Amino acid sequence: MASDGGRRRSYITSGADSNNGGGVMSRVSSAISESPIFNKGREAACEAAHSAKKLLRSTGRAAWIAGTTFLILVVPLIIEMDREQQLNELELQQASLLGAPPVGVGPAPN
């Protein structure tokens, strides 16, 4: 203290110093944000976000196309196959009620 000439140094910044950008945190954050590495990283992140957005948009379009194609082409096919199976089962049931041997069963062995 004797070498300071009786003056005390204050390491805490006052309100006036922080408004002028003299605070430690503001100087560090401005030094980081002006860094070329930080700028390149920010640009890379923006490009990655843009690419991800385009990928999601194109994936959504592909899902829409696949879904509508499935509804138009495959669902009617499944319904028709189910109808045909029900019709075959009904014919088999009617044939068994009338006394005819079921389809696919050969004559009885002697």
Side-chain angles (χ1 to χ4, degrees):
M1 287 255 171
S3 63
D4 287 341
R7 291 185 301 172
R8 286 189 173 176
R9 293 188 181 183
S10 174
Y11 291 106
I12 301 174
T13 59
S14 65
D17 287 342
S18 63
N19 290 338
N20 293 335
V24 174
M25 290 302 292
S26 65
R27 285 184 289 190
V28 169
S29 65
S30 66
I32 290 173
S33 64
E34 292 172 3
S35 163
I37 296 172
F38 179 79
N39 288 333
K40 286 185 180 183
R42 184 174 53 200
E43 288 174 9
C46 288
E47 288 177 14
H50 181 68
S51 298
K53 186 177 179 182
K54 286 173 69 175
L55 178 66
L56 284 174
R57 185 175 294 149
S58 64
T59 303
R61 288 180 184 158
W64 173 259
I65 291 169
T68 53
T69 302
F70 181 78
L71 287 175
I72 292 172
L73 298 177
V74 178
V75 170
L77 178 66
I78 292 172
I79 292 171
E80 186 61 32
M81 290 172 59
D82 188 43
R83 279 186 192 160
E84 186 175 343
Q85 182 182 4
Q86 287 177 359
L87 182 63
N88 288 340
E89 288 175 359
L90 180 65
E91 288 176 355
L92 183 64
Q93 184 181 15
Q94 286 178 351
S96 68
L97 288 176
L98 294 175
V103 179
V105 176
N110 291 338

